[in-house]
Amino acid sequence: MSKPKRNEPCPCGSGKKYKKCCGASNVTELSPAIYDQELIDFYNGFMRYSLEINEASMSERLASYIHSFNMDDDEGTEALIVYLTSWVILHDPYLEDGKTLLEQYYHLKQSSLRKRSKDIIATWMQAKPSIYEVLSADDTNGVTHVEDVLSKETFNIKLDVDEEPHEVGNIIIGIRLPFTSYHTFCFGEIELPSDTREDLIDIAEPYIDGEQGLINTFPNFLAQLMVPENALEWDRLDHEMVADLFRAHMVNKDYEMNIINTGISIWNRYCNEKDPTFKKLGPHAAALEYLITEALLPDVQITQKQLAKEYDTTTGSISTNYRKLIEHVDEMTLHSEMDEDDSDIQIVNPTMPTFNMEKEMRTIEKMLSEQEFDTMEEANDFLNQLLKDGIPEVTSDNPREMAMDKIYDAEIATGSKRKKHIQEALDLYPNTPDAYRLLAQDANTLEERMALLMKAIEAGEKDLGNDFFKENKGHFWGLIETRPYMRAKYEYALELHMMDDIDTAIPHYEQLLELNPNDNLGVRYELLTAYLDIGQLNKAQQLIESYQEDSTAGLLYQAVLVNYQIEGITNKTKSLLGRAKKSNPHVIDYLTTKKIPHTKYDSIQWGGKSEAIDYAQKNAHLWQDDEMQDLLKKI
């Protein structure tokens, strides 16, 4: 019987064609070398596409990581760029279409690839960075046998012809790419001596994210590796373990490395001076995270109850250890621990809320009113002596003032104590705007928050009364009793603005400026952004003219935008931009090339990076016009 043809029915009686049944095993399989060559060609083309064709965007992306790690002047910057490159091109979806460079290049080339090659490239998209130990090396064939120290799997790594052989026992950090019969490391692996093995595992441990391994955390792991905390000395292992636990939680929440390192430095300093003893790590790591978020990350809303659950401890333990930390850590400590790149940022001391100043001002006003001075000089002498001796605690029998004393206590309290103080304030004086404002801060939903802020505004209006508004319009902030109302109205307007309900937010901003043209709250900057958001250029121009003496970035850069949108790029536009740049040159960096950090600042330094970051966070979307971007880069 002759052999059936490929498309004839299979003689076995299955009903299938011979080529799909018994003849399937006779199909000739292509040599693995053919697939490997196809993969090599794809890899080389992909590298050219990433490092040459997309060089500009790659450089910008890498620079943003370096900046976020505060390594602008560090000796390890160049090395970190090389080591980080492979992760960026494989795993960072930074392109406009939300794809990685690998995904984008694969989309361009997939039609010319065989199925087996496609399947292998698909695994590259999930390739995990890891740590490898060199078990053996065959210099003749250019093959190195390695073990993944995290998964314990072994692989054969093929070297390029001109690549130096790996030394047995050495440790390699890299991203392994499989081919058909061997593996290779993607561009930029790190080779380290054998004695670094255990230290590397310890450093990597907080960054390992379940089955994802180091895929999502590799940049932070590299930054930690390049600038490790080995400069810190720990007298006790449990002190260092608290730092490790804190780092792991902060890394998982994707906080920037400078923030994490600041917290560890503070804890190290505290341990060296106080030498605390304890049995559990969680309460101390949680208290440290609470301190850092309260002091350096005011935009992060996190409660001690949340942290207690995350660190498997109690709110009482966190509160106790938090108080110990803030008794030791003052504003100067926070400043000294921040990196030099952030030296202009004024950090709010968590133990000294702005309410304390108001309470002292209220006391001073009351004490001055009880005195009889014959001359202004006597009054000034009294005031100077009072400030020198320290402002005493003065009790009040005025319900409004008694309620505000409860609010001062609530501001620095947490949990049930905070709620108790707020309720006591409302019991004493129902029209206490700050009580509703603090409740709004703790609200679970945006709808609840907005309703409470509106209650705060209404309480302030009832408290002050219509006649008060008419009589004191124009100098509101100078009267302490107006500030709770002003704060509530401002926060309500900001929330509306963030919700893109700009038409509703603008009248609130405008009313605040009418009540207090001196603008102690900085309302004019938000109002300018709002005007520009909806194209009210004439109003924006009038507002800028009302504050001609203001030389801050928040006004000068807005003047450039207003002039550009009215007249285009003219000599006046360039002149205004030159003046703005002179006021704060850092703004241009954040509007063009530098990554804009997410950190929010309660207090900023004019002309510094903190002012530039604050401006860019709120206004970068207004500068995306190509013509303006070109002007910014040329100025």
Side-chain angles (χ1 to χ4, degrees), residues 4-109:
K5 295 181 179 179
R6 286 172 48 76
N7 288 316
E8 290 180 350
C10 187
C12 74
S14 66
K16 298 180 181 179
K17 292 182 179 180
Y18 178 67
K19 67 180 180 181
K20 295 288 187 180
C21 191
C22 297
S25 60
N26 295 323
V27 176
T28 303
E29 177 65 48
L30 291 176
S31 167
I34 294 176
Y35 290 107
D36 284 338
Q37 187 58 54
E38 187 170 70
L39 291 168
I40 290 170
D41 292 341
F42 177 89
Y43 178 82
N44 291 336
F46 167 54
M47 283 297 161
R48 286 193 297 273
Y49 180 77
S50 301
L51 305 180
E52 297 177 16
I53 298 174
N54 285 278
E55 180 182 6
S57 69
M58 271 288 299
S59 298
E60 181 179 339
R61 189 60 172 172
L62 288 166
S64 72
Y65 281 105
I66 298 302
H67 175 69
S68 70
F69 296 139
N70 286 312
M71 293 184 65
D72 293 327
D73 300 316
D74 191 274
E75 293 180 359
T77 297
E78 187 174 341
L80 180 57
I81 288 175
V82 173
Y83 302 147
L84 187 57
T85 296
S86 60
W87 180 87
V88 170
I89 63 180
L90 291 172
H91 295 306
D92 190 357
Y94 76 89
L95 301 173
E96 289 184 1
D97 57 4
K99 289 184 170 63
T100 65
L101 282 165
L102 175 57
E103 289 171 335
Q104 196 173 78
Y105 186 72
Y106 174 75
H107 180 73
L108 295 172
K109 298 294 182 181

Side-chain angles (χ1 to χ4, degrees), residues 1 54 140 165 219 226 278 295 330 348 368 472 502 563 594 622:
M1 182 178 178
N54 285 278
T140 304
M226 302 302 294
F278 46 82
D330 58 16
V348 177
L368 286 172
N472 297 288
I502 299 173
N563 191 78
K594 279 192 174 182
L622 298 169

Side-chain angles (χ1 to χ4, degrees), residues 152-333:
K152 303 305 180 183
E153 297 176 280
T154 59
F155 306 94
N156 287 325
I157 304 295
K158 186 175 181 180
L159 307 181
D160 290 338
V161 176
D162 57 350
E163 191 175 355
E164 290 290 328
H166 297 297
E167 184 175 334
V168 175
N170 275 3
I171 304 299
I172 298 172
I173 300 171
I175 304 179
R176 175 183 50 79
L177 302 180
F179 283 65
T180 57
S181 55
Y182 61 87
H183 302 254
T184 188
F185 285 118
C186 190
F187 169 81
E189 74 266 29
I190 310 171
E191 185 167 357
L192 298 169
S194 58
D195 59 5
T196 61
R197 185 181 191 277
E198 298 307 318
D199 288 339
L200 287 173
I201 294 174
D202 290 341
I203 293 172
E205 187 174 0
Y207 299 92
I208 298 172
D209 180 19
E211 293 184 358
Q212 290 295 304
L214 295 171
I215 284 182
N216 299 321
T217 58
F218 193 56
N220 281 336
F221 166 65
L222 280 181
Q224 185 67 32
L225 185 66
M226 302 302 294
V227 190
E229 299 323 302
N230 54 16
L232 300 178
E233 294 184 2
W234 302 93
D235 293 333
R236 293 173 43 167
L237 178 60
D238 54 353
H239 292 170
E240 187 174 2
M241 290 171 69
V242 168
D244 291 339
L245 181 61
F246 165 79
R247 182 192 295 113
H249 278 257
M250 297 291 276
V251 165
N252 286 338
K253 295 176 184 177
D254 201 28
Y255 288 115
E256 294 183 358
M257 287 303 302
N258 63 319
I259 296 294
I260 298 173
N261 291 339
T262 297
I264 292 173
S265 296
I266 289 171
W267 173 248
N268 178 260
R269 189 165 173 176
Y270 174 77
C271 289
N272 289 340
E273 295 184 17
K274 297 296 183 180
D275 192 24
T277 57
F278 46 82
K279 294 181 179 179
K280 295 184 177 180
L281 310 178
H284 299 273
L288 181 60
E289 180 173 338
Y290 190 71
L291 170 69
I292 292 301
T293 53
E294 285 287 293
L296 303 181
L297 302 167
D299 59 319
V300 176
Q301 300 296 321
I302 192 164
T303 65
Q304 292 185 2
K305 184 178 180 180
Q306 289 173 290
L307 290 173
K309 186 176 181 180
E310 291 178 20
Y311 285 88
D312 192 24
T313 183
T314 64
T315 55
S317 297
I318 295 175
S319 181
T320 298
N321 289 292
Y322 169 70
R323 285 197 298 271
K324 291 178 182 179
L325 280 172
I326 62 174
E327 286 172 4
H328 174 71
V329 180
D330 58 16
E331 186 173 5
M332 291 306 295
T333 303

Side-chain angles (χ1 to χ4, degrees), residues 383-433:
L383 180 58
N384 290 333
Q385 189 62 44
L386 182 62
L387 294 173
K388 182 179 179 181
D389 295 340
I391 301 169
E393 286 281 344
V394 176
T395 57
S396 174
D397 56 3
N398 180 299
R400 178 199 275 161
E401 294 178 358
M402 292 169 66
M404 283 307 299
D405 286 341
K406 295 294 183 181
I407 293 298
Y408 300 148
D409 293 335
E411 178 69 15
I412 59 175
T414 58
S416 59
K417 285 187 179 180
R418 177 179 168 93
K419 292 180 181 178
K420 179 174 179 289
H421 291 316
I422 293 172
Q423 187 57 54
E424 288 173 345
L426 288 171
D427 292 340
L428 286 165
Y429 198 73
N431 291 328
T432 302

Side-chain angles (χ1 to χ4, degrees), residues 446-447 450 492-502 505:
L446 179 60
E447 182 179 5
M450 296 302 287
Y492 185 71
L494 289 173
E495 289 288 352
L496 288 169
H497 198 160
M498 290 175 64
M499 294 161 56
D500 287 332
D501 191 357
I502 299 173

